[in-house]
Amino acid sequence: MAEEKPAYKRVLLKISGEALGGPSGQGLDFRFMEQVCGVVARCAALGVELGIVVGGGNFWRGVKNGEGHMDRARADYMGMLATVMNSLALQDVLEQQGVRAGVMTAIEIQHIGETFSVDRANAWFREGRVIIFAGGVGSPFFTTDTGTVLRAALVGADIILLAKNVDGVYSADPRQDPSAVRYDCLTYEEVLARHLAVMDSTATCMAMDNHIPVMVFALKDPENILRAVRGETVGTIVR
Ligand code: UDP
């Protein structure tokens, strides 16, 4: 049998913190993380160079949890620390599955991860490590979605896989509007003009300016990651 080849050489997967929290969206659902990491292991075995950007919303979001109580920038730094906690958990579960994984942080945090640099990231990819990018862009007033696009641009990823709690991009919130329709394909301009809930506008603009396609799909079925890596269109593709 011919060896199966991935459709992309280098892929950046974004997993929101909420997704790691399982049905409650809070804390860490290790059973679910094992399922996700099992699929990541199969992607890595195909030879795809895989980076994972993880959010922090299962523990803390700067605006949502801190607004009215504390300084925005400080609250955002707490959010970045939440992404670091998730990254360490993900690294551990990946290693339990036999995957070589390393954490790179946007802000220097000695002993916990290596500070991000393009050269080191390229070296780790060449060594076959899955890289977990923690801390978003490393600055308050940004999100891990923007961090994902920034890392994708910096390491030259072919595609961003946006694993969410919905199975694609809809014309309206499908939980509130039963007439909402799911799009198969959208342009960045359409996403921006229609204010569609894909990523925040900063992240969408950056993906558009750097011509990085974004595939949006549900993480609920982790096999979707493998399908996407094999080149199948799952959910909605924005390009
Ligand atoms: N955050 C930040 N700068 C970044 C990335 C994240 O300030 O570059 C903070 C921000 O407070 C955000 C929190 O970290 O609310 C968690 O990130 P995000 O909301 O993107 O996580 P997700 O919703 O994907 O779980």
Side-chain angles (χ1 to χ4, degrees):
M1 202 172 84
E3 197 185 326
E4 193 187 357
K5 278 219 170 103
Y8 309 100
K9 183 166 167 29
R10 196 170 277 188
V11 166
L12 223 64
L13 170 68
K14 159 75 201 287
I15 303 178
S16 71
E18 220 170 22
L20 297 182
S24 74
Q26 298 294 310
L28 293 167
D29 180 337
F30 278 95
R31 193 171 290 182
F32 182 63
M33 284 170 67
E34 278 164 23
Q35 285 174 29
V36 173
C37 290
V39 176
V40 168
R42 287 161 64 201
C43 294
L46 288 181
V48 68
E49 294 174 340
L50 193 71
I52 304 177
V53 175
V54 68
N58 51 329
F59 289 120
W60 181 269
R61 283 203 182 95
V63 173
K64 187 171 165 234
N65 302 109
E67 197 167 36
H69 302 289
M70 62 184 293
D71 174 70
R72 164 78 192 264
R74 216 170 259 156
D76 279 342
Y77 279 117
M78 286 175 63
M80 285 181 250
L81 291 175
T83 73
V84 176
M85 292 203 289
N86 283 333
S87 298
L88 293 181
L90 209 54
Q91 180 187 26
D92 206 86
V93 178
L94 281 170
E95 286 179 355
Q96 289 170 35
Q97 310 257 351
V99 178
R100 292 188 66 209
V103 173
M104 282 198 166
T105 58
I107 296 172
E108 187 176 349
I109 312 181
Q110 265 190 17
H111 311 299
I112 284 186
E114 189 165 313
T115 309
F116 172 81
S117 87
V118 174
D119 288 345
R120 292 294 297 147
N122 283 328
W124 280 13
F125 278 135
R126 279 194 297 270
E127 287 168 20
R129 281 202 223 187
V130 170
I131 308 180
I132 304 159
F133 296 107
V137 308
S139 171
F141 295 92
F142 286 94
T143 63
T144 50
D145 283 351
T146 306
T148 306
V149 183
L150 178 62
R151 293 289 170 253
L154 283 166
V155 302
D158 304 311
I159 190 164
I160 291 170
L161 305 181
L162 208 61
K164 312 228 320 171
N165 54 3
V166 282
D167 63 352
V169 185
Y170 283 79
S171 53
D173 186 344
R175 287 165 300 194
Q176 284 167 21
D177 182 351
S179 68
V181 288
R182 194 181 78 184
Y183 300 106
D184 292 330
C185 191
L186 284 165
T187 63
Y188 309 104
E189 288 87 350
E190 285 168 334
V191 170
L192 290 168
R194 297 182 203 166
H195 301 283
L196 297 171
V198 179
M199 309 187 286
D200 55 88
S201 55
T202 312
T204 306
C205 285
M206 207 178 160
M208 177 171 73
D209 292 349
N210 292 284
H211 314 286
I212 306 169
V214 182
M215 203 184 288
V216 185
F217 57 91
L219 188 64
K220 199 169 162 213
D221 179 3
E223 290 280 326
N224 280 336
I225 302 170
L226 194 59
R227 293 186 188 109
V229 163
R230 283 179 174 145
E232 292 174 38
T233 300
V234 280
T236 305
I237 180 104
V238 183
R239 60 169 117 231

